[in-house]
Each structure stands twice: as structure tokens, then as C-alpha cells.
Amino acid sequence: MQRIAIIDIGSNSARLVISHIYKNGAYNMVYNQKEALRLSQKVDADNMLTEEAFSSTIETLKSFAHMCNIYQVDKTIGVATAAIRNAANGGQLVERVAAETGIQLHIISGSTEAYISYLGVINTLDVKNGIIFDLGGGSTELILFKNRQILESVSLPMGAVNTTGMFNIRNEMPPNVYSDVNVFIMSRLSQYPWLKQNGLPLIGVGGTARTVAKIIQRAKKYPATKIHNYAYSVQTYRNFFNKLRNTNLEQRKKISGLSAERSDIILAGSSIISCLLEATGAKKLITSGCGLREGLFYDYYSQSNNVPLIAKNILERSRENVLKLYETDTAHARHITQLALAMFDGWHELHKVRKGYRRLLETAALLHDIGIMINFYSHARHSAYMIQNAKLFGLTHKEQIITSAIAGWHNGVSKNYFKDRFYKEMLTDSNWRLINKLALLLALAESLDYSETKMIHAIEPAISKKCALLRIHADVVPGIELHQVATHLAWFKKIFGVELKLELVKDEEE
């Protein structure tokens, strides 16, 4: 096992993330620490980081070094961004950090920062074309990508902290000051005509983007707390920003979802987003919970494990990671998946589920048994919870919930578990009918390999005028499997309105 520490010293805060990479290639985060540094505010008139900046950074890095020691970290990757990059004595701070903590920070350029943030986004969001903005305390990185490849990028030396200080809008932003802020930001954005991409989504990375999404979720009483891949309209943002503009610091401290440490810089950060919407012509915003730190991890992981730097299929990669992480019987899981998908494809005229949902059945089938790690009994419900909360990229929030429910019903319909607010508010009656159909296919697939021996090695689903047919290929009579399938015949008749007939084809061994 490898223990990897990622350290990111930004203009507003410092972060330490420790992840494990296991022998089978699975990885997960095991520790996360954040400290507010506000380095952008600790610069003197000569563009020198103050002694306070030095002491607070070194103390924070000593804390990080201590935690790395506790977790027995094998590899530390540390980067410093805008505040240290732009300061005249940033290099001296890096030298002091190395001497006093043993941590070697690398000052990365704006273009490198943009590229690494792009890696974090492109490997975790299923978006083909878009504009990423990584809005930090002292800079904003902008990246245009199409067909998942970077076309343009730039790093602008304006962020939530230094813009706040420049216009003194820590408390309030009067209309005349807002106008000045707007002119300042738009004048810088206008230098990059490639930003005008009418219709492409604007993808937000960084603390301000996450905070805005959290505030909007709380105001809408959104039942989930997940921020990554949360999308909302430009009009929703305008409504939020128009209210925020007219608040003072004390009022903002009472806003649900807005932390006290960010309430003084949110006006500047939100103004930058507002101007980006105008400059790009975006129709919606997507929040990314992944950026620079995840990009640094993927860069290391791809090299150390010999996998592509940019995942061809992010859902496939992330669910394979979950499958390996919980060390279930992967051969059984893949066989169940093959059987379930064969029924989905062969009985399409019967179930009439859109083919786009096939990947949800595939994901639920691959992960349907991960709950066994908690407890075999009721493992379907444990699997549902774990899928609901897993880092599965490439699915919308609703799709992930549907997937979890499919897995949760693979031992039969269990409505009580899914009565909580989270499921009730996210899913419609139509969604539940879909779940019932796909859960039945998964239940049948599970029954067809109940002994986990692959005794049934192939199936041929078909439809006649009066019934559904399932031709089963096996070397010997699979008694246990046939008995288990029989327990679902009434469910099949209830859902699809026809009988299910089984036909056994004994394949003689060579």
C-alpha cells in the first residue's frame, strides 16, 4: 500500500489530503485538513509576504508534517499557488518551509495550475465541452475545453481575497462600488475573446463556487448535501447574487451554507462569477468538488499505476475503483452484470426502458454485493447506502440514487428502507416504476448465479406473443438457481404482465 499526501497552499487556505493506494490499485481518501491562511491579505506595499504570513504558513505546515508522520506517508506532493507565486519573497518562504518542516513546496505557474485543475474536473465530471473557472483567493484560472481536450487557458491575478481588499468590500458593496468592481473584472475578461462560448456550461472549482452551490441548495431545501456535479441555471444564480449584493457582513454570517470565514470575501468571489456568466454566455453552472488536489493525485496515480492520465470513461473507472476498494467477489459481480445486461437487451420490447438507463443497471449489478462488507444480512440495503454515497463519477445525483435503489431491491422490493426524505423528494413515481423493472432484472441475474459457481454460463432472453422466454445454458441441472428464479416468477408477472418460461439447454462438456 502507498500513502500519498497532497498539500495545496493557496491564497486563502491551505489543504492537506492523505489518500491510500492499495495493492489492487484501489484508492481512497483517509484524511483531510484545511487551515485558513489568507496569504493574499498578508502582503506589504513592496509585494512582500509579511512575517505573519511566514509564521502562519510554517506553523500550518508543521501541523501537516505531523499528520503525515502519523499516517506514515510514503510520498508528499506539495504545491504553492498565486499568493506565494506572485510575492517577491515567495521563494524565501518555500526555503523556510523546507528547512523547518521538511516539506518541499513547488511553486507552480498559472498555466500549470489551470491544467492540473482541468485534470481534476475532466476525470470526475461527464462533460464533453465547457469552461472551467478555478476561483481562488488570489487568482482565477480559466480553461476552455472541447471534446474533453484543452483549447485555451489563462490565469488571472484576481481572486476572492485580493479583490475584496482592492475594493474594500469586506462588509458591504454599495451600488457605485459594485459598478467599479464590475468594470474592473470585465475589463480583464474582455482580453480573452475565446471566453465567449454561448451555451457551454460554466464549471466552478474552488471554495467560492462550492459555497455558492451550498447556499443555493439550502435555500431550495435540496435533499442531498452532495456538491460535486450540482447544476443550476443562470437565473438561479442571478436571484442568489441580487440578494447577496444588498447584504452586510453581519447579515451574511446568518446565511445558511455560508461559513463565517468566507462571509467577508463572498461578495468579491460572487461578483467574479457574475461577470464570467456575462462574458461566456453560459446557460448553466456546474459545481465541481474536484480540482487542483484531485488533479495532482490523478497525475501521480496515472504514472505509478500505468493508467491513462485522462479516463476514457469516468463512470467505468470510478465504479471499478469502488469494486476493488470493497474487495467483493469481482468474478461473480461481473457475471451477474453480464446476465442482467443480456436480459435488458433481449427483453427491451418488454420493459421499454430507455437504453440510457442501461449503464445504471450495469453499475448497480457490479456493486450490488459491496454491502456484504458490513453485514451479509440485509446486505442489499447496505449496498444501496454505500452506492448512494460512493465516489461514482459520471452520474447525476438522481441517477446515483436510482442506481442505489436498484441494488437495494435486488433481494426483493423493500419500500420501508426508501421512505426517508432523501429518496421521497428526489424520485418520482415514474422513477420507482423504472427501479422496479431494473431491480427485477438484477434479482433474476443474482438468482441465475446463486451458488456463485457460474453453473449457468449463458442465457438467451426472448419474447413470444404470450410469454417471456429465458433459455438457460448449463453443463448440469442448476437446481439451486432454478429454485431461486422461481421465487421471482410472481414479481415478473406483476411487473411485465406475462409469464416467464424457462428452458434449460444442457451443454455437454467436451
Side-chain angles (χ1 to χ4, degrees):
M1 180 175 69
Q2 296 180 72
R3 301 169 179 87
I4 311 302
I6 305 288
I7 294 174
D8 166 22
I9 308 300
S11 304
N12 183 49
S13 59
R15 288 264 194 167
L16 165 65
V17 173
I18 300 175
S19 298
H20 285 175
I21 302 176
Y22 302 94
K23 287 184 178 180
N24 65 358
Y27 52 86
N28 73 322
M29 182 197 301
V30 296
Y31 183 74
N32 182 12
Q33 183 178 345
K34 176 187 175 184
E35 301 293 341
L37 284 182
R38 293 287 176 92
L39 293 181
S40 288
Q41 293 179 342
K42 298 172 182 177
V43 181
D44 64 21
D46 297 320
N47 195 31
M48 302 279 281
L49 287 164
T50 63
E51 185 53 41
E52 182 189 359
F54 272 59
S55 61
S56 61
T57 302
I58 291 167
E59 285 305 307
T60 295
L61 269 293
K62 283 180 179 178
S63 169
F64 287 179
H66 177 67
M67 294 310 302
C68 288
N69 185 53
I70 288 175
Y71 276 86
Q72 299 180 330
V73 164
D74 301 305
K75 172 76 173 177
T76 301
I77 302 168
V79 298
T81 57
I84 295 177
R85 177 171 69 229
N86 297 331
N89 58 346
Q92 295 173 33
L93 175 54
V94 167
E95 290 175 2
R96 288 252 320 254
V97 165
E100 297 188 36
T101 72
I103 293 173
Q104 182 62 59
L105 293 177
H106 299 275
I107 302 175
I108 57 174
S109 67
S111 59
T112 298
E113 185 177 357
Y115 179 71
I116 296 172
S117 291
Y118 153 80
L119 290 178
V121 171
I122 211 68
N123 280 303
T124 60
L125 282 179
D126 188 18
V127 181
K128 188 177 181 181
N129 308 306
I131 296 176
I132 301 167
F133 70 93
D134 186 348
L135 174 51
S139 68
T140 299
E141 283 65 50
L142 304 172
I143 305 107
L144 169 66
F145 67 94
K146 291 186 178 178
N147 293 316
R148 304 186 74 227
Q149 298 294 321
I150 287 185
L151 294 183
E152 303 278 358
S153 70
V154 67
S155 178
L156 303 179
M158 61 179 185
V161 177
N162 57 7
T163 304
T164 296
M166 187 182 303
F167 291 94
N168 192 25
I169 49 175
R170 184 175 178 273
N171 182 24
E172 294 180 322
M173 186 167 62
N176 62 312
V177 177
Y178 169 66
S179 179
D180 292 341
V181 172
N182 222 41
V183 169
F184 167 76
I185 298 169
M186 289 303 296
S187 67
R188 275 140 188 81
L189 297 180
S190 65
Q191 298 173 39
Y192 307 95
W194 53 262
L195 285 172
K196 196 65 175 179
Q197 299 283 336
N198 290 327
L200 290 190
L202 194 58
I203 302 166
V205 176
T208 297
R210 292 192 300 270
T211 297
V212 169
K214 189 182 295 186
I215 294 170
I216 290 172
Q217 283 185 344
R218 297 277 180 90
K220 288 178 172 288
K221 293 182 168 50
Y222 190 68
T225 57
K226 188 181 298 182
I227 293 295
H228 185 73
N229 202 18
Y230 178 67
Y232 53 97
S233 69
V234 171
Q235 190 54 52
T236 296
Y237 183 83
R238 295 293 182 206
N239 293 341
F240 150 79
F241 185 56
N242 287 338
K243 292 178 182 176
L244 189 76
R245 275 177 53 192
N246 298 311
T247 61
N248 59 37
L249 182 58
E250 287 306 311
Q251 291 170 328
R252 290 195 298 279
K253 286 181 178 178
K254 299 174 184 177
I255 295 176
S256 180
L258 177 57
S259 64
E261 68 179 47
R262 196 170 290 277
S263 57
D264 61 334
I265 59 173
I266 192 70
L267 288 177
S270 298
S271 297
I272 292 173
I273 297 175
S274 179
C275 290
L276 280 168
L277 287 171
E278 185 177 338
T280 61
K283 297 294 187 291
K284 72 173 180 178
L285 294 98
I286 303 172
T287 310
S288 176
C290 299
L292 183 69
R293 291 177 294 281
E294 290 74 17
L296 287 167
F297 177 82
Y298 288 126
D299 181 54
Y300 175 82
Y301 182 81
S302 70
Q303 295 178 51
S304 61
N305 288 266
N306 195 28
V307 298
L309 179 56
I310 297 174
K312 188 174 182 180
N313 184 318
I314 64 173
L315 174 57
E316 184 177 310
R317 180 181 283 186
S318 62
R319 71 189 177 201
E320 285 294 319
N321 184 58
V322 173
L323 192 62
K324 291 176 182 176
L325 193 60
Y326 295 115
E327 297 184 324
T328 53
D329 184 342
T330 56
H332 170 66
R334 296 188 200 287
H335 188 53
I336 293 298
T337 303
Q338 182 183 2
L339 296 172
L341 294 180
M343 287 184 279
F344 182 93
D345 297 336
W347 286 334
H348 197 264
E349 290 181 28
L350 186 66
H351 59 70
K352 295 181 172 61
V353 173
R354 284 193 292 112
K355 291 185 179 180
Y357 287 108
R358 188 180 189 273
R359 66 197 184 111
L360 304 193
L361 174 60
E362 184 178 16
T363 304
L366 277 170
L367 305 179
H368 76 284
D369 272 348
I370 61 175
I372 290 174
M373 188 175 189
I374 298 176
N375 190 336
F376 180 84
Y377 299 105
S378 300
H379 75 263
R381 288 187 290 173
H382 295 314
S383 295
Y385 179 82
M386 293 164 77
I387 291 170
Q388 175 190 319
N389 292 280
K391 284 190 173 182
L392 284 174
F393 302 124
L395 298 177
T396 65
H397 292 184
K398 190 167 188 173
E399 286 173 337
Q400 190 161 349
I401 295 167
I402 291 172
T403 302
S404 76
I406 294 168
W409 273 7
H410 82 265
N411 276 354
V413 176
S414 176
K415 291 185 177 179
N416 287 337
Y417 178 76
F418 299 98
K419 280 183 176 178
D420 64 49
R421 173 175 172 261
F422 185 70
Y423 285 94
K424 284 171 65 177
E425 294 187 23
M426 291 292 281
L427 302 179
T428 64
D429 289 342
S430 175
N431 295 146
W432 283 114
R433 287 192 292 271
L434 164 75
I435 290 164
N436 213 334
K437 291 178 180 180
L438 298 183
L440 172 55
L441 298 184
L442 178 53
L444 288 170
E446 173 79 352
S447 297
L448 291 167
D449 192 35
Y450 198 77
S451 62
E452 301 187 15
T453 59
K454 296 186 184 178
M455 193 176 297
I456 296 173
H457 49 79
I459 58 173
E460 296 177 64
I463 303 171
S464 73
K465 291 182 179 180
K466 295 183 179 180
C467 67
L469 302 173
L470 187 63
R471 186 174 287 110
I472 296 170
H473 291 261
D475 297 327
V476 296
V477 177
I480 294 175
E481 281 74 13
L482 293 176
H483 173 75
Q484 287 300 318
V485 170
T487 65
H488 298 314
L489 294 180
W491 185 8
F492 193 96
K493 177 70 181 293
K494 180 180 179 181
I495 296 300
F496 296 125
V498 296
E499 302 282 350
L500 173 60
K501 301 293 185 183
L502 305 179
E503 179 184 333
L504 177 61
V505 180
K506 287 182 68 176
D507 297 331
E508 298 296 332
E509 295 186 50
E510 296 183 0

mmCIF file of all heavy atoms in Angstrom, residues 384-417:
data_model
loop_
_atom_site.group_PDB
_atom_site.id
_atom_site.type_symbol
_atom_site.label_atom_id
_atom_site.label_comp_id
_atom_site.label_asym_id
_atom_site.label_seq_id
_atom_site.Cartn_x
_atom_site.Cartn_y
_atom_site.Cartn_z
ATOM 1 N N ALA A 384 -27.003 -0.395 -1.065
ATOM 2 C CA ALA A 384 -27.707 0.809 -1.523
ATOM 3 C C ALA A 384 -27.113 2.062 -0.886
ATOM 4 O O ALA A 384 -26.845 3.054 -1.575
ATOM 5 C CB ALA A 384 -29.201 0.709 -1.198
ATOM 6 N N TYR A 385 -26.894 2.003 0.426
ATOM 7 C CA TYR A 385 -26.331 3.169 1.125
ATOM 8 C C TYR A 385 -24.929 3.479 0.622
ATOM 9 O O TYR A 385 -24.569 4.641 0.409
ATOM 10 C CB TYR A 385 -26.303 2.911 2.634
ATOM 11 C CG TYR A 385 -25.702 4.059 3.412
ATOM 12 C CD1 TYR A 385 -26.462 5.178 3.740
ATOM 13 C CD2 TYR A 385 -24.356 4.034 3.793
ATOM 14 C CE1 TYR A 385 -25.904 6.243 4.438
ATOM 15 C CE2 TYR A 385 -23.792 5.096 4.486
ATOM 16 C CZ TYR A 385 -24.572 6.197 4.804
ATOM 17 O OH TYR A 385 -24.009 7.250 5.467
ATOM 18 N N MET A 386 -24.129 2.442 0.438
ATOM 19 C CA MET A 386 -22.750 2.647 0.002
ATOM 20 C C MET A 386 -22.688 3.194 -1.423
ATOM 21 O O MET A 386 -21.874 4.067 -1.726
ATOM 22 C CB MET A 386 -21.973 1.326 0.124
ATOM 23 C CG MET A 386 -21.786 0.889 1.576
ATOM 24 S SD MET A 386 -21.307 -0.846 1.772
ATOM 25 C CE MET A 386 -19.570 -0.756 1.328
ATOM 26 N N ILE A 387 -23.555 2.705 -2.301
ATOM 27 C CA ILE A 387 -23.604 3.226 -3.670
ATOM 28 C C ILE A 387 -24.079 4.674 -3.666
ATOM 29 O O ILE A 387 -23.553 5.525 -4.390
ATOM 30 C CB ILE A 387 -24.525 2.356 -4.548
ATOM 31 C CG1 ILE A 387 -23.897 0.976 -4.767
ATOM 32 C CG2 ILE A 387 -24.804 3.029 -5.891
ATOM 33 C CD1 ILE A 387 -24.825 -0.033 -5.403
ATOM 34 N N GLN A 388 -25.063 4.960 -2.841
ATOM 35 C CA GLN A 388 -25.600 6.327 -2.743
ATOM 36 C C GLN A 388 -24.514 7.325 -2.351
ATOM 37 O O GLN A 388 -24.511 8.474 -2.803
ATOM 38 C CB GLN A 388 -26.721 6.342 -1.709
ATOM 39 C CG GLN A 388 -27.308 7.705 -1.399
ATOM 40 C CD GLN A 388 -28.241 7.643 -0.202
ATOM 41 O OE1 GLN A 388 -29.016 6.716 -0.056
ATOM 42 N NE2 GLN A 388 -28.142 8.626 0.686
ATOM 43 N N ASN A 389 -23.551 6.888 -1.531
ATOM 44 C CA ASN A 389 -22.530 7.792 -1.008
ATOM 45 C C ASN A 389 -21.151 7.588 -1.620
ATOM 46 O O ASN A 389 -20.205 8.288 -1.249
ATOM 47 C CB ASN A 389 -22.442 7.637 0.514
ATOM 48 C CG ASN A 389 -23.686 8.148 1.224
ATOM 49 O OD1 ASN A 389 -23.845 9.348 1.418
ATOM 50 N ND2 ASN A 389 -24.589 7.247 1.570
ATOM 51 N N ALA A 390 -21.025 6.648 -2.551
ATOM 52 C CA ALA A 390 -19.731 6.362 -3.159
ATOM 53 C C ALA A 390 -19.312 7.468 -4.116
ATOM 54 O O ALA A 390 -20.143 8.222 -4.632
ATOM 55 C CB ALA A 390 -19.786 5.031 -3.909
ATOM 56 N N LYS A 391 -18.005 7.552 -4.363
ATOM 57 C CA LYS A 391 -17.489 8.497 -5.356
ATOM 58 C C LYS A 391 -17.647 7.876 -6.741
ATOM 59 O O LYS A 391 -16.702 7.370 -7.334
ATOM 60 C CB LYS A 391 -16.024 8.836 -5.077
ATOM 61 C CG LYS A 391 -15.840 9.802 -3.925
ATOM 62 C CD LYS A 391 -14.407 10.298 -3.851
ATOM 63 C CE LYS A 391 -14.267 11.399 -2.799
ATOM 64 N NZ LYS A 391 -12.883 11.925 -2.743
ATOM 65 N N LEU A 392 -18.888 7.915 -7.222
ATOM 66 C CA LEU A 392 -19.199 7.415 -8.555
ATOM 67 C C LEU A 392 -19.323 8.620 -9.477
ATOM 68 O O LEU A 392 -20.274 9.394 -9.373
ATOM 69 C CB LEU A 392 -20.500 6.619 -8.541
ATOM 70 C CG LEU A 392 -20.423 5.213 -7.943
ATOM 71 C CD1 LEU A 392 -21.808 4.604 -7.850
ATOM 72 C CD2 LEU A 392 -19.503 4.325 -8.767
ATOM 73 N N PHE A 393 -18.376 8.797 -10.355
ATOM 74 C CA PHE A 393 -18.378 9.941 -11.252
ATOM 75 C C PHE A 393 -19.036 9.562 -12.574
ATOM 76 O O PHE A 393 -18.984 8.419 -13.008
ATOM 77 C CB PHE A 393 -16.944 10.422 -11.485
ATOM 78 C CG PHE A 393 -16.230 10.804 -10.209
ATOM 79 C CD1 PHE A 393 -15.028 10.205 -9.859
ATOM 80 C CD2 PHE A 393 -16.774 11.746 -9.355
ATOM 81 C CE1 PHE A 393 -14.370 10.549 -8.691
ATOM 82 C CE2 PHE A 393 -16.132 12.099 -8.173
ATOM 83 C CZ PHE A 393 -14.921 11.496 -7.849
ATOM 84 N N GLY A 394 -19.657 10.537 -13.207
ATOM 85 C CA GLY A 394 -20.322 10.277 -14.469
ATOM 86 C C GLY A 394 -21.815 10.073 -14.328
ATOM 87 O O GLY A 394 -22.518 9.856 -15.311
ATOM 88 N N LEU A 395 -22.332 10.123 -13.103
ATOM 89 C CA LEU A 395 -23.763 10.026 -12.847
ATOM 90 C C LEU A 395 -24.257 11.326 -12.224
ATOM 91 O O LEU A 395 -23.546 11.944 -11.424
ATOM 92 C CB LEU A 395 -24.072 8.882 -11.878
ATOM 93 C CG LEU A 395 -23.719 7.452 -12.319
ATOM 94 C CD1 LEU A 395 -24.034 6.476 -11.193
ATOM 95 C CD2 LEU A 395 -24.457 7.070 -13.588
ATOM 96 N N THR A 396 -25.473 11.728 -12.583
ATOM 97 C CA THR A 396 -26.089 12.853 -11.889
ATOM 98 C C THR A 396 -26.483 12.396 -10.486
ATOM 99 O O THR A 396 -26.489 11.186 -10.190
ATOM 100 C CB THR A 396 -27.344 13.353 -12.621
ATOM 101 O OG1 THR A 396 -28.347 12.308 -12.582
ATOM 102 C CG2 THR A 396 -27.032 13.696 -14.076
ATOM 103 N N HIS A 397 -26.835 13.335 -9.629
ATOM 104 C CA HIS A 397 -27.261 12.973 -8.282
ATOM 105 C C HIS A 397 -28.450 12.005 -8.345
ATOM 106 O O HIS A 397 -28.486 10.999 -7.625
ATOM 107 C CB HIS A 397 -27.663 14.217 -7.495
ATOM 108 C CG HIS A 397 -26.500 15.109 -7.180
ATOM 109 N ND1 HIS A 397 -26.622 16.242 -6.408
ATOM 110 C CD2 HIS A 397 -25.187 15.056 -7.542
ATOM 111 C CE1 HIS A 397 -25.434 16.838 -6.304
ATOM 112 N NE2 HIS A 397 -24.566 16.131 -6.990
ATOM 113 N N LYS A 398 -29.393 12.314 -9.215
ATOM 114 C CA LYS A 398 -30.605 11.476 -9.318
ATOM 115 C C LYS A 398 -30.262 10.098 -9.861
ATOM 116 O O LYS A 398 -30.787 9.081 -9.374
ATOM 117 C CB LYS A 398 -31.638 12.159 -10.209
ATOM 118 C CG LYS A 398 -33.004 11.503 -10.179
ATOM 119 C CD LYS A 398 -34.041 12.410 -10.831
ATOM 120 C CE LYS A 398 -35.428 11.854 -10.627
ATOM 121 N NZ LYS A 398 -36.477 12.781 -11.105
ATOM 122 N N GLU A 399 -29.396 10.035 -10.853
ATOM 123 C CA GLU A 399 -29.004 8.740 -11.415
ATOM 124 C C GLU A 399 -28.310 7.872 -10.367
ATOM 125 O O GLU A 399 -28.517 6.653 -10.335
ATOM 126 C CB GLU A 399 -28.081 8.941 -12.614
ATOM 127 C CG GLU A 399 -28.785 9.439 -13.859
ATOM 128 C CD GLU A 399 -27.828 9.783 -14.984
ATOM 129 O OE1 GLU A 399 -26.638 10.055 -14.702
ATOM 130 O OE2 GLU A 399 -28.261 9.790 -16.148
ATOM 131 N N GLN A 400 -27.516 8.485 -9.509
ATOM 132 C CA GLN A 400 -26.827 7.715 -8.476
ATOM 133 C C GLN A 400 -27.822 7.165 -7.457
ATOM 134 O O GLN A 400 -27.673 6.039 -6.979
ATOM 135 C CB GLN A 400 -25.756 8.566 -7.792
ATOM 136 C CG GLN A 400 -24.844 7.763 -6.872
ATOM 137 C CD GLN A 400 -23.536 8.480 -6.560
ATOM 138 O OE1 GLN A 400 -23.195 9.482 -7.170
ATOM 139 N NE2 GLN A 400 -22.797 7.961 -5.594
ATOM 140 N N ILE A 401 -28.854 7.941 -7.156
ATOM 141 C CA ILE A 401 -29.883 7.482 -6.225
ATOM 142 C C ILE A 401 -30.675 6.332 -6.838
ATOM 143 O O ILE A 401 -30.970 5.333 -6.171
ATOM 144 C CB ILE A 401 -30.823 8.647 -5.847
ATOM 145 C CG1 ILE A 401 -30.055 9.704 -5.066
ATOM 146 C CG2 ILE A 401 -32.001 8.143 -5.023
ATOM 147 C CD1 ILE A 401 -30.797 11.007 -4.921
ATOM 148 N N ILE A 402 -31.015 6.453 -8.118
ATOM 149 C CA ILE A 402 -31.719 5.372 -8.813
ATOM 150 C C ILE A 402 -30.881 4.103 -8.800
ATOM 151 O O ILE A 402 -31.379 3.004 -8.525
ATOM 152 C CB ILE A 402 -32.062 5.793 -10.264
ATOM 153 C CG1 ILE A 402 -33.143 6.883 -10.256
ATOM 154 C CG2 ILE A 402 -32.528 4.597 -11.091
ATOM 155 C CD1 ILE A 402 -33.416 7.496 -11.616
ATOM 156 N N THR A 403 -29.585 4.249 -9.071
ATOM 157 C CA THR A 403 -28.678 3.109 -9.071
ATOM 158 C C THR A 403 -28.639 2.440 -7.700
ATOM 159 O O THR A 403 -28.669 1.207 -7.590
ATOM 160 C CB THR A 403 -27.259 3.550 -9.476
ATOM 161 O OG1 THR A 403 -27.301 4.153 -10.768
ATOM 162 C CG2 THR A 403 -26.298 2.381 -9.492
ATOM 163 N N SER A 404 -28.598 3.260 -6.648
ATOM 164 C CA SER A 404 -28.548 2.695 -5.295
ATOM 165 C C SER A 404 -29.829 1.933 -4.973
ATOM 166 O O SER A 404 -29.792 0.880 -4.339
ATOM 167 C CB SER A 404 -28.296 3.803 -4.262
ATOM 168 O OG SER A 404 -29.456 4.572 -4.025
ATOM 169 N N ALA A 405 -30.957 2.455 -5.436
ATOM 170 C CA ALA A 405 -32.238 1.798 -5.170
ATOM 171 C C ALA A 405 -32.366 0.486 -5.943
ATOM 172 O O ALA A 405 -32.932 -0.487 -5.432
ATOM 173 C CB ALA A 405 -33.393 2.735 -5.521
ATOM 174 N N ILE A 406 -31.852 0.442 -7.162
ATOM 175 C CA ILE A 406 -31.861 -0.808 -7.942
ATOM 176 C C ILE A 406 -31.110 -1.889 -7.168
ATOM 177 O O ILE A 406 -31.591 -3.014 -7.010
ATOM 178 C CB ILE A 406 -31.220 -0.606 -9.331
ATOM 179 C CG1 ILE A 406 -32.066 0.347 -10.187
ATOM 180 C CG2 ILE A 406 -31.055 -1.944 -10.058
ATOM 181 C CD1 ILE A 406 -31.354 0.830 -11.452
ATOM 182 N N ALA A 407 -29.931 -1.542 -6.690
ATOM 183 C CA ALA A 407 -29.138 -2.508 -5.916
ATOM 184 C C ALA A 407 -29.841 -2.872 -4.614
ATOM 185 O O ALA A 407 -29.802 -4.018 -4.163
ATOM 186 C CB ALA A 407 -27.756 -1.936 -5.635
ATOM 187 N N GLY A 408 -30.491 -1.897 -3.995
ATOM 188 C CA GLY A 408 -31.163 -2.117 -2.713
ATOM 189 C C GLY A 408 -32.368 -3.028 -2.807
ATOM 190 O O GLY A 408 -32.808 -3.598 -1.799
ATOM 191 N N TRP A 409 -32.914 -3.181 -4.022
ATOM 192 C CA TRP A 409 -34.092 -4.045 -4.207
ATOM 193 C C TRP A 409 -33.732 -5.380 -4.841
ATOM 194 O O TRP A 409 -34.611 -6.143 -5.218
ATOM 195 C CB TRP A 409 -35.121 -3.322 -5.087
ATOM 196 C CG TRP A 409 -36.044 -2.435 -4.307
ATOM 197 C CD1 TRP A 409 -35.960 -2.127 -2.986
ATOM 198 C CD2 TRP A 409 -37.185 -1.739 -4.808
ATOM 199 N NE1 TRP A 409 -36.969 -1.262 -2.623
ATOM 200 C CE2 TRP A 409 -37.747 -1.016 -3.728
ATOM 201 C CE3 TRP A 409 -37.791 -1.628 -6.050
ATOM 202 C CZ2 TRP A 409 -38.875 -0.212 -3.863
ATOM 203 C CZ3 TRP A 409 -38.915 -0.831 -6.184
ATOM 204 C CH2 TRP A 409 -39.465 -0.128 -5.099
ATOM 205 N N HIS A 410 -32.452 -5.709 -5.001
ATOM 206 C CA HIS A 410 -32.129 -6.920 -5.752
ATOM 207 C C HIS A 410 -32.480 -8.206 -4.998
ATOM 208 O O HIS A 410 -32.493 -9.281 -5.593
ATOM 209 C CB HIS A 410 -30.655 -6.922 -6.201
ATOM 210 C CG HIS A 410 -29.675 -7.379 -5.171
ATOM 211 N ND1 HIS A 410 -28.991 -6.501 -4.354
ATOM 212 C CD2 HIS A 410 -29.229 -8.627 -4.821
ATOM 213 C CE1 HIS A 410 -28.174 -7.185 -3.560
ATOM 214 N NE2 HIS A 410 -28.296 -8.477 -3.823
ATOM 215 N N ASN A 411 -32.776 -8.101 -3.712
ATOM 216 C CA ASN A 411 -33.277 -9.256 -2.969
ATOM 217 C C ASN A 411 -34.790 -9.200 -2.801
ATOM 218 O O ASN A 411 -35.363 -9.908 -1.996
ATOM 219 C CB ASN A 411 -32.623 -9.336 -1.580
ATOM 220 C CG ASN A 411 -31.276 -10.034 -1.631
ATOM 221 O OD1 ASN A 411 -30.893 -10.554 -2.673
ATOM 222 N ND2 ASN A 411 -30.556 -10.037 -0.525
ATOM 223 N N GLY A 412 -35.429 -8.318 -3.566
ATOM 224 C CA GLY A 412 -36.875 -8.143 -3.474
ATOM 225 C C GLY A 412 -37.224 -6.737 -3.039
ATOM 226 O O GLY A 412 -36.413 -6.033 -2.429
ATOM 227 N N VAL A 413 -38.434 -6.310 -3.378
ATOM 228 C CA VAL A 413 -38.885 -4.945 -3.074
ATOM 229 C C VAL A 413 -38.939 -4.727 -1.566
ATOM 230 O O VAL A 413 -39.498 -5.527 -0.832
ATOM 231 C CB VAL A 413 -40.266 -4.682 -3.697
ATOM 232 C CG1 VAL A 413 -40.783 -3.314 -3.295
ATOM 233 C CG2 VAL A 413 -40.194 -4.798 -5.220
ATOM 234 N N SER A 414 -38.339 -3.628 -1.113
ATOM 235 C CA SER A 414 -38.311 -3.281 0.313
ATOM 236 C C SER A 414 -38.550 -1.782 0.438
ATOM 237 O O SER A 414 -37.615 -0.999 0.505
ATOM 238 C CB SER A 414 -36.964 -3.671 0.938
ATOM 239 O OG SER A 414 -36.891 -3.253 2.274
ATOM 240 N N LYS A 415 -39.816 -1.396 0.456
ATOM 241 C CA LYS A 415 -40.157 0.025 0.395
ATOM 242 C C LYS A 415 -39.798 0.782 1.667
ATOM 243 O O LYS A 415 -39.500 1.976 1.612
ATOM 244 C CB LYS A 415 -41.640 0.194 0.082
ATOM 245 C CG LYS A 415 -42.015 -0.230 -1.340
ATOM 246 C CD LYS A 415 -43.472 0.066 -1.638
ATOM 247 C CE LYS A 415 -43.811 -0.287 -3.089
ATOM 248 N NZ LYS A 415 -45.229 -0.040 -3.395
ATOM 249 N N ASN A 416 -39.826 0.121 2.799
ATOM 250 C CA ASN A 416 -39.615 0.834 4.066
ATOM 251 C C ASN A 416 -38.268 1.550 4.108
ATOM 252 O O ASN A 416 -38.168 2.678 4.586
ATOM 253 C CB ASN A 416 -39.721 -0.134 5.242
ATOM 254 C CG ASN A 416 -41.153 -0.563 5.503
ATOM 255 O OD1 ASN A 416 -42.082 0.147 5.128
ATOM 256 N ND2 ASN A 416 -41.327 -1.712 6.109
ATOM 257 N N TYR A 417 -37.230 0.891 3.603
ATOM 258 C CA TYR A 417 -35.891 1.480 3.671
ATOM 259 C C TYR A 417 -35.816 2.774 2.882
ATOM 260 O O TYR A 417 -35.040 3.666 3.208
ATOM 261 C CB TYR A 417 -34.858 0.486 3.140
ATOM 262 C CG TYR A 417 -33.447 1.030 3.130
ATOM 263 C CD1 TYR A 417 -32.716 1.134 4.320
ATOM 264 C CD2 TYR A 417 -32.845 1.467 1.963
ATOM 265 C CE1 TYR A 417 -31.438 1.646 4.342
ATOM 266 C CE2 TYR A 417 -31.554 1.977 1.960
ATOM 267 C CZ TYR A 417 -30.858 2.057 3.144
ATOM 268 O OH TYR A 417 -29.589 2.574 3.158
#
